[in-house]
Amino acid sequence: MAVNRAEKKTLDYALRALQLIFAIIVMGTDGYAIHVFRGHTVYEHSWFGNFYDYYGVPDAWGFLMFCAAWTVLIVIFHLIAGISFADRVLIGYIRVAVEAVAVLSWLAGFIAVAVQISTDTCSAGKNSCGTLKAATIFGAFEWLLFMVTAALTVMLVFNSSHKPRISTTRPDAAV
């Protein structure tokens, strides 16, 4: 099925808008879970001595927040690169690399948080579990959106009819 260039741009803008919306939702839900968690101090007794140990917010929650912030930057980059540098080959390869990093980041981020939901870090008695589950679900949807946009970007860059720019100087020109 042939899709013209205007329909591809419309689809790309719609997917980027969804990515931005889901990133904002993940920022809000994950940020609220981080705020509500409140670290705690535990008195530890071991064979080499007693000490107080502080348990803060798990690192995976912060990484999911990083993925959401990274997504905002990616969407801005793709909008600028798609408008200003559409005919540059190097920018196309950079777009593919950025998409690949985003896909892997979201995959790692939502899986790391999903693993912690079943642990005692997020037990049923804590208020942050519901919002953390929502952040994980929207993180999974964000990963799926990035899988789609990564596939579209790869097809656009590698199947493009654009050729690299050719030098306008003549081969016999004096140097």
Side-chain angles (χ1 to χ4, degrees):
M1 181 167 104
V3 179
N4 67 12
R5 195 174 196 100
E7 289 175 353
K8 283 184 183 179
K9 275 196 172 225
T10 305
L11 177 65
D12 187 50
Y13 288 151
L15 290 173
R16 298 291 175 197
L18 276 175
Q19 286 175 340
L20 194 60
I21 290 168
F22 284 1
I24 292 169
I25 291 171
V26 169
M27 277 186 201
T29 55
D30 191 34
Y32 181 74
I34 289 171
H35 171 72
V36 170
F37 179 75
R38 304 200 195 278
H40 56 280
T41 304
V42 176
Y43 183 73
E44 298 283 341
H45 177 72
S46 65
W47 61 274
F48 59 86
N50 302 329
F51 62 94
Y52 287 98
D53 195 12
Y54 178 76
Y55 290 100
V57 176
D59 293 335
W61 299 9
F63 183 71
L64 195 64
M65 184 67 78
F66 164 77
C67 290
W70 171 245
T71 297
V72 173
L73 295 176
I74 289 172
V75 169
I76 292 169
F77 168 73
H78 278 290
L79 291 177
I80 292 171
I83 294 170
S84 303
F85 306 106
D87 58 344
R88 305 274 200 254
V89 175
L90 180 62
I91 295 295
Y93 293 136
I94 291 172
R95 288 175 72 179
V96 170
V98 166
E99 287 283 339
V101 168
V103 166
L104 294 175
S105 296
W106 276 106
L107 179 66
F110 91 83
I111 288 176
V113 174
V115 166
Q116 288 190 341
I117 287 176
S118 63
T119 64
D120 59 349
T121 302
C122 182
S123 60
K126 300 206 174 159
N127 294 332
S128 61
C129 285
T131 57
L132 197 60
K133 288 176 185 176
T136 305
I137 291 169
F138 278 103
F141 286 142
E142 190 80 57
W143 172 71
L144 288 173
L145 281 172
F146 268 106
M147 288 293 290
V148 171
T149 57
L152 291 174
T153 302
V154 166
M155 287 189 308
L156 176 74
V157 170
F158 293 116
N159 295 336
S160 178
S161 62
H162 291 110
K163 303 293 183 218
R165 290 190 171 199
I166 300 172
S167 175
T168 56
T169 61
R170 296 185 324 244
D172 59 342
V175 179

